Amino acid sequence: MTVRVRIAPSPTGNLHIGTARTAVFNWLFARHHSGKFILRIEDTDTERSREEYTQNILDGLTWLGLNWDEGPIFQSRRLDVYRQRVQDLLDKGLAYYCYCSEEELDAMREAQKARNEAPRYDNRHRNLTAEQQAAFAAEGRRPVIRFKIEDDREIVWNDMVRGHMSWRGGDLGGDMVIARAAENKGIGQPLYNFAVVVDDIDMQITHVIRGEDHIANTAKQILLYEAFGATVPEFAHTPLILNMEGRKLSKRDGVTSIFDFKEMGFVAEAMVNYMTLLGWSPPDSTQEFFTLEEAAQQFSFDRVNKAGAKFDWAKLDWINSQYLHSMPVEKLTDLLIPYWQAAGYEFDAVGDRIWLEKIAHIIGPSLTRLKDAVEMSWLFFTQPLTYSEDATHQLQQEGSQAVLEGVLSALNNGTELTEASSQDIIKHVIKEKNVKKGLVMRSLRAALTGDMQGPDLIQSWLILHQRQFDKARLEIAIATAN
């Protein structure tokens, strides 16, 4: 048997981290078994589905590296298939027309509520005669189509995450609507539980891997598989992603869209690495970093937790920082350029490439997120500087002005600035001005960077010198010291 799994998002919003994590688990399982990963777009909700959301889903999966083998397959292009399958169930007597009005259904639920009963459809139109159907139609009622569910039926399956699962037919809310109303006893828009079963049968899906919030749908869907005489796939219901308080992750917790994370400065490798760990643990519990391919080699559902997975921003930040710290400077520069451009920094992305790579190299070890580079590197792009309180204080220290004048004098003598010559200038000023090295270094940092904390001073100086920013800043700092 060839393993065939699918991810089936609805384009009613951007790609959510919960859907993305489900996609990761499907992809890992398919690759572990040398199977197929299929993309289906469930766009039958015509009022809420948007083309831009579809594109966001495709772009998000591509960015994460979750390449699909078949698809995208659009439900909206399969409506005739669904209608034919509904007709098949009608012809077999497994489905029927229900003419109940909304007012009648509301009254039914209110009466059940008054009796302290769970709300459900009472199947009152299951056995209508042809005459009764004609009478309702004459009133102008448009029927939905319901699938018969027997109350005494027990539905069981062995979930790959949760083990033995069992539901009673009587707990499923009565006969299930599988298609909306249409004119002249036609077959209207198919509903979710029906369409996904038809799709999974036609696409020969062998394993349905999805969030635990779909468990209640599974019993109904198993009954539909059986009604069609199809093989029931294996099911795996993965834990929900929770916030740190144990509630389902939502927009109130910050961001939930995959591209929100991208814009915040998280890299794709870190995101898929972290999402893989949201509910799954590798055999070697000490291993925290792996590529998708490495994770796929080890992935199995016996190591997926039943309990909800708490989303930990600190852990994601740490994982992201480790990827950034070890990233080749060429790739890091490619990723940082859009952030620098968005910040309004002026540079030539091609002509200044070597200079930009030097900036990426010096700030890379301090990055947690890509967007941190905007604040960390402003000193290389902005002229003139603004000084922090500590830097201003340093520039007003006794001897600071003389030290900076000595450095500027050396630069004006035409000395070619290299790492070695910068150290020579510092030694010369220390000796000439008879001051301690600390005063020289602190004054130079304040003058060149505008702050007392920051990246390596000598390397920063060399980068600034390439644009002749160092001399101008020393002159301004000397004036400030005065």
Side-chain angles (χ1 to χ4, degrees):
M1 176 189 72
T2 299
V3 166
R4 293 175 61 84
V5 301
R6 46 66 164 185
I7 185 67
S10 297
T12 55
N14 292 324
L15 181 62
H16 185 277
I17 186 171
T19 304
R21 197 280 305 268
T22 299
V24 169
F25 280 13
N26 273 276
W27 192 95
L28 294 174
F29 186 77
R31 294 297 178 259
H32 181 81
H33 293 281
S34 300
K36 300 294 184 181
F37 175 64
I38 300 164
L39 173 59
R40 184 169 75 222
I41 302 297
E42 298 188 342
D43 58 344
T44 54
D45 186 342
T46 55
E47 292 184 2
R48 298 171 58 215
S49 294
R50 297 285 184 275
E51 176 60 35
E52 58 265 31
Y53 293 144
T54 297
Q55 193 59 52
N56 179 274
I57 291 167
L58 301 179
D59 291 345
L61 293 174
T62 300
W63 179 66
L64 293 170
L66 302 175
N67 55 306
W68 52 92
D69 302 300
E70 298 176 20
I73 298 163
F74 293 87
Q75 282 190 335
S76 59
R77 301 172 188 174
R78 290 172 46 81
L79 296 180
D80 288 343
V81 174
Y82 305 137
R83 292 189 178 103
Q84 180 56 55
R85 299 298 176 83
V86 171
Q87 188 62 54
D88 291 345
L89 295 182
L90 287 168
D91 294 342
K92 293 178 182 179
L94 299 177
Y96 62 92
Y97 292 101
C98 171
Y99 291 85
C100 288
S101 66
E102 285 299 323
E103 293 76 17
E104 289 170 339
L105 293 174
D106 288 341
M108 183 191 309
R109 286 188 283 266
E110 288 300 320
Q112 291 165 343
K113 183 178 179 181
R115 297 191 298 267
N116 291 320
E117 297 173 357
R120 53 166 289 155
Y121 175 63
D122 62 8
N123 304 341
R124 63 180 62 179
H125 283 189
R126 180 187 279 195
N127 298 306
L128 292 179
T129 65
E131 291 76 13
Q132 288 172 316
Q133 291 187 38
F136 284 129
E139 294 176 15
R141 298 195 187 195
R142 297 193 305 167
V144 299
I145 298 173
R146 291 183 181 270
F147 173 70
K148 295 179 180 179
I149 298 177
E150 302 302 334
D151 287 352
D152 59 357
R153 172 65 196 277
E154 184 181 15
I155 305 102
V156 298
W157 75 91
N158 185 49
D159 196 278
M160 291 192 291
V161 175
R162 298 168 191 285
H164 179 78
M165 302 291 292
S166 176
W167 285 72
R168 285 183 59 255
D171 296 328
L172 296 178
D175 292 342
M176 170 178 58
V177 178
I178 57 175
R180 299 186 189 280
E183 297 290 345
N184 301 320
K185 216 175 178 180
I187 298 172
Q189 192 84 356
L191 270 65
Y192 167 78
N193 277 316
F194 180 81
V196 297
V197 170
V198 173
D199 287 340
D200 287 345
I201 292 172
D202 290 352
M203 296 169 196
Q204 299 178 301
I205 300 301
T206 60
H207 297 77
V208 175
I209 302 165
R210 56 192 180 188
E212 66 177 72
D213 49 340
H214 284 282
I215 289 177
N217 294 322
T218 302
K220 298 175 182 178
Q221 293 172 8
I222 287 175
L223 294 176
L224 284 168
Y225 282 106
E226 293 175 352
F228 286 119
T231 301
V232 179
E234 298 288 325
F235 291 92
H237 290 94
T238 59
L240 296 179
I241 301 176
L242 310 175
N243 62 18
M244 293 306 288
E245 288 73 44
R247 296 187 298 272
K248 186 176 179 179
L249 192 70
S250 70
K251 291 182 179 179
R252 290 187 296 274
D253 299 301
V255 295
T256 54
S257 163
I258 285 300
F259 274 105
D260 287 341
F261 287 98
K262 181 181 180 183
E263 289 173 5
M264 290 177 68
F266 294 101
V267 295
E269 299 91 334
M271 286 300 302
V272 293
N273 193 147
Y274 181 67
M275 286 190 290
T276 300
L277 294 172
L278 279 174
W280 175 79
S281 57
D284 178 359
S285 59
T286 64
Q287 183 180 6
E288 295 188 280
F289 299 98
F290 30 70
T291 64
L292 278 170
E293 290 73 18
E294 290 167 346
Q297 293 175 7
Q298 308 176 57
F299 188 83
S300 66
F301 278 100
D302 58 3
R303 300 195 64 82
V304 173
N305 301 322
K306 296 179 183 178
K310 288 189 176 181
F311 188 91
D312 186 341
W313 282 100
K315 181 67 174 290
L316 175 58
D317 273 333
W318 179 74
I319 289 177
N320 198 67
S321 71
Q322 300 309 299
Y323 276 95
L324 294 180
H325 297 172
S326 61
M327 186 174 289
V329 70
E330 296 82 6
K331 180 177 180 179
L332 180 59
T333 305
D334 290 338
L335 295 175
L336 292 180
I337 284 174
Y339 289 89
W340 287 329
Q341 290 172 330
Y345 296 158
E346 295 183 4
F347 57 88
D348 181 343
V350 177
D352 292 332
R353 178 71 190 200
I354 295 176
W355 182 70
L356 294 172
E357 287 185 359
K358 290 180 179 180
I359 297 175
H361 175 75
I362 195 173
I363 67 172
S366 301
L367 291 174
T368 298
R369 305 179 187 180
L370 290 171
K371 72 170 188 177
D372 297 341
V374 172
E375 183 175 351
M376 287 184 183
S377 57
W378 71 274
L379 66 99
F380 300 112
F381 297 96
T382 305
Q383 188 80 329
L385 280 182
T386 56
Y387 298 109
S388 70
E389 185 178 341
D390 289 342
T392 300
H393 179 73
Q394 176 61 40
L395 293 176
Q396 294 171 347
Q397 295 299 300
E398 182 179 353
S400 180
Q401 178 184 356
V403 162
L404 297 178
E405 288 173 344
V407 173
L408 181 60
S409 175
L411 289 174
N412 287 332
N413 286 337
T415 303
E416 180 184 358
L417 193 68
T418 64
E419 187 167 352
S421 65
S422 65
Q423 296 289 356
D424 290 339
I425 290 173
I426 291 170
K427 291 176 183 177
H428 172 75
V429 170
I430 291 171
K431 183 177 181 181
E432 181 186 53
K433 305 300 181 182
N434 192 26
V435 294
K436 293 184 177 180
K437 183 178 181 179
L439 176 64
V440 177
M441 301 302 283
R442 289 193 299 272
S443 300
L444 197 54
R445 178 173 289 281
L448 294 178
T449 72
D451 204 351
M452 300 309 296
Q453 306 291 329
D456 182 87
L457 176 58
I458 300 301
Q459 295 303 317
S460 298
W461 186 5
L462 295 175
I463 293 171
L464 290 167
H465 184 73
Q466 285 188 249
R467 285 202 162 186
Q468 299 299 306
F469 280 1
D470 54 342
K471 292 182 180 180
R473 290 184 183 181
L474 288 168
E475 291 170 352
I476 294 171
I478 291 168
T480 301
N482 282 326

